[in-house]
Amino acid sequence: MSNFWRSAAIRGAMFFALWVILTLGDRNDFAVGIFAAIIATWISLFLLPPAPTHPSLLPLLKFMLHFFRQSVIAGLDVAKRAFDPKLPLNPGYVQFSCPISAGPARSAFCALSSLLPGTMPVKSDATGNVLVHCLDTLQPVVEQLSKDASLFRAAAGAVRNDG
């Protein structure tokens, strides 16, 4: 089965499952649900064609565990800084050279990075530079983002296409 048809089957099944959830499994709506899933699948394949790579389960699990751990650590750090006025805040911007290709993969990485307390990707350019706002520029933000990006690439199969 080609990557296109595999993606179509998975997306179609997901859209139909969403329909079943939304209609609470009412069998009278199955025909409409199948039609809606086919249309939604066709539109999604047109708007976001299947990628040549797909997520890997073990690296995805590693990334999820790492992300959860980082969320807790960063959340505790932000809370500590908010409630202890003696702790320094050095807000500002850092430049991060993102190894993930521009497009959906980099957008997904930046969206996930914005969920980590204390960092917010603000702008990305075609060369791979991402401007990140952080609460403390003295912290190893770029090194942490590099590690996150490496784990994300392994999980998502995202590679840079710059030659």
Side-chain angles (χ1 to χ4, degrees):
M1 182 188 271
S2 75
N3 190 34
F4 177 84
W5 291 109
R6 182 179 354 204
S7 290
I10 291 170
R11 292 180 193 192
M14 298 291 281
F15 284 127
F16 184 69
L18 177 62
W19 182 270
V20 170
I21 290 168
L22 291 175
T23 61
L24 301 174
D26 187 355
R27 293 177 194 258
N28 295 327
D29 293 329
F30 275 15
V32 175
I34 290 171
F35 179 72
I38 290 170
I39 297 299
T41 301
W42 180 77
I43 291 170
S44 78
L45 289 168
F46 175 74
L47 293 175
L48 187 62
T53 60
H54 51 75
S56 301
L57 190 56
L58 187 58
L60 183 60
L61 182 61
K62 268 175 97 169
F63 176 75
M64 289 170 55
L65 291 172
H66 171 78
F67 184 81
F68 177 74
R69 180 179 173 273
Q70 284 304 111
S71 294
V72 171
I73 291 170
L76 291 172
D77 181 61
V78 169
K80 191 166 54 170
R81 289 172 189 274
F83 291 114
D84 188 351
K86 289 180 262 174
L87 286 175
L89 279 179
N90 297 302
Y93 295 92
V94 295
Q95 192 79 21
F96 168 59
S97 181
C98 188
I100 301 169
S101 300
R106 186 183 308 157
S107 295
F109 174 73
C110 286
L112 285 169
S113 296
S114 73
L115 296 175
L116 291 172
T119 60
M120 173 64 74
V122 178
K123 183 172 114 177
S124 176
D125 64 26
T127 63
N129 292 320
V130 177
L131 186 64
V132 180
H133 182 271
C134 54
L135 288 180
D136 190 354
T137 57
L138 301 177
Q139 296 295 315
V141 176
V142 172
E143 292 82 1
Q144 188 58 51
L145 286 169
S146 294
K147 182 177 180 180
D148 296 346
S150 176
L151 290 169
F152 180 86
R153 287 180 74 195
V159 286
R160 190 170 198 157
N161 299 322
D162 57 3

